[in-house]
């Protein structure tokens, strides 16, 4: 027996929180009867439907995509731009774990396991994300130390970042730099560099936790290995 919201989440429809919302809105039926009470227990013999559609129990899948720039990380786009699902045409209903901007490339994890996704995007989740960044202008030491101390972005102050491998390009007009953060606020890297006066020209996420794009060509993807899934769970605060 399992709680109704968890069964919906596990079917890959949505997060547990969203499932609770759907239940309270009367969108969920168990064996043909609308259920608005939270936390009822169901088992595999119960027929659950959400918005009139029967839940199928899908196998849980976990992928890593090496996202090229020029794709949105959502599963559909109002402006008809290419989405990551054009690159990863699998039969399961998968969702990205966090987002990368349209013009950002690199590691993007995708899954139909809502619990795994929630654990990894929870604000308290301290997984490291390593970005390789090309910025306009020459990064000075005092500027990079603003990032390593934490920079005030108005609505929040970033946690201390690690900044390393600073290289100036041939013409000495731009800087290549590697940055590790463990937060994942909207446009965080771009906002951090904007704040110190060096707009981002190119951004690639090299690593998410223990997963990198190594061996995966841009636009390609692979299944995560069982030990990688386990290690990611271990990194999360809901770790198993
Ligand atoms: N920070 C950004 O600004 N953009 C991304 O896509 C990821 C991190």
């Amino acid at each position: 027996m399992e709680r109704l919201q968890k069964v919906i989440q596990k079917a890959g429809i949505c997060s547990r929180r969203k499932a609770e919302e759907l239940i309270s809105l009367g969108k969920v039926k168990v064996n043909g009867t609308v259920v608005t009470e939270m936390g009822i227990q169901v088992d595999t013999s119960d027929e659950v439907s959400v918005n009139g559609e029967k839940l199928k129990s899908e196998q849980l899948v976990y992928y890593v995509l090496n996202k090229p720039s020029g794709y949105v990380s959502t599963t559909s786009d109002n402006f008809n731009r290419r989405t990551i699902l054009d690159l990863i045409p699998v039969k399961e209903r998968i969702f990205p774990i966090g987002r990368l901007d349209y013009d950002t490339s690199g590691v993007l994890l995708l899954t139909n396991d809502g619990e795994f996704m929630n654990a990894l995007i929870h604000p308290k989740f301290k997984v490291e994300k390593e970005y390789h960044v090309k910025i306009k202008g020459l990064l000075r030491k005092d500027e990079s130390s603003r990032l390593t101390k934490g920079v005030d972005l108005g609505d929040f102050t970033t946690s201390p970042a690690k900044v390393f491998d600073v290289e100036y390009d041939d013409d000495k007009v731009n800087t290549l730099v590697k940055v590790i953060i463990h937060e994942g606020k909207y446009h965080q890297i771009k906002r951090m560099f904007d704040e110190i006066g060096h707009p981002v020209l190119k951004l690639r996420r090299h690593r998410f936790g223990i997963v990198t794009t190594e061996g995966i060509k841009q636009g390609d993807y692979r299944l995560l290995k069982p030990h990688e899934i386990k290690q990611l769970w271990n990194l999360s605060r809901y770790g198993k």
Side-chain angles (χ1 to χ4, degrees):
M1 297 284 268
E2 237 173 345
R3 283 155 70 88
L4 182 57
Q5 54 267 54
K6 186 143 187 201
V7 170
I8 297 170
Q9 173 205 1
K10 274 190 164 173
I13 302 276
C14 57
S15 69
R16 189 160 16 180
R17 207 168 305 153
K18 180 78 187 164
E20 285 168 0
E21 204 182 302
L22 291 171
I23 294 169
S24 62
L25 289 171
K27 305 280 186 195
V28 178
K29 285 184 184 169
V30 177
N31 303 321
T33 307
V34 172
V35 170
T36 51
E37 187 194 331
M38 219 45 71
I40 72 154
Q41 304 269 332
V42 291
D43 68 23
T44 46
S45 67
D46 291 307
E47 189 185 287
V48 178
S49 66
V50 176
N51 286 326
E53 265 188 55
K54 263 198 256 168
L55 289 196
K56 291 184 258 130
S57 45
E58 253 184 1
Q59 203 197 335
L60 298 178
V61 289
Y62 308 84
Y63 295 99
V64 48
L65 168 72
N66 185 353
K67 178 192 174 298
S69 69
Y71 286 80
V72 288
S73 314
T74 44
T75 47
S76 67
D77 182 51
N78 293 339
F79 303 104
N80 244 347
R81 290 176 298 183
R82 294 179 297 185
T83 81
I84 43 168
L85 292 188
D86 294 324
L87 296 167
I88 178 163
V90 293
K91 65 177 190 314
E92 298 89 4
R93 226 171 106 89
I94 50 171
F95 297 93
I97 299 179
R99 301 267 168 91
L100 287 180
D101 295 336
Y102 180 74
D103 55 358
T104 301
S105 61
V107 177
L108 187 64
L109 303 183
L110 299 106
T111 184
N112 58 354
D113 181 344
E115 196 182 351
F116 184 72
M117 177 160 80
N118 277 347
L120 292 186
I121 60 177
H122 195 282
K124 292 269 162 65
F125 181 50
K126 296 277 196 275
V127 67
E128 287 191 344
K129 289 132 200 159
E130 179 177 326
Y131 292 92
H132 295 184
V133 197
K134 182 175 182 179
I135 56 171
K136 199 166 173 194
L138 302 181
L139 182 68
R140 293 194 317 258
K141 192 98 186 83
D142 60 308
E143 292 166 334
S144 73
S145 51
R146 286 184 64 197
L147 304 181
T148 56
K149 284 191 191 115
V151 48
D152 183 358
L153 295 181
D155 48 341
F156 79 107
T157 299
T158 60
S159 299
K162 290 182 195 150
V163 179
F164 58 109
D165 283 2
V166 177
E167 275 177 44
Y168 301 115
D169 76 4
D170 289 343
D171 305 328
K172 301 244 185 300
V173 288
N174 298 320
T175 306
L176 301 171
V177 55
K178 296 180 182 167
V179 181
I180 295 177
I181 58 172
H182 58 69
E183 299 153 311
K185 297 262 175 31
Y186 188 57
H187 290 329
Q188 181 160 339
I189 295 284
K190 290 177 184 167
R191 291 184 63 198
M192 284 163 63
F193 280 100
D194 275 344
E195 185 57 34
I196 61 164
H198 293 284
V200 168
L201 300 174
K202 209 166 175 185
L203 181 58
R204 185 167 78 80
R205 181 153 72 193
H206 170 71
R207 179 168 66 83
F208 185 109
I210 41 105
V211 183
T212 70
T213 49
E214 225 178 272
I216 313 172
K217 284 199 221 113
Q218 267 209 1
D220 280 357
Y221 63 93
R222 68 165 172 84
L223 281 166
L224 288 182
K225 301 192 176 96
H227 78 267
E228 292 174 317
I229 299 166
K230 198 160 168 220
Q231 277 176 284
L232 286 166
W233 267 121
N234 286 339
L235 285 175
S236 92
R237 74 183 205 117
Y238 301 134
K240 289 179 167 174

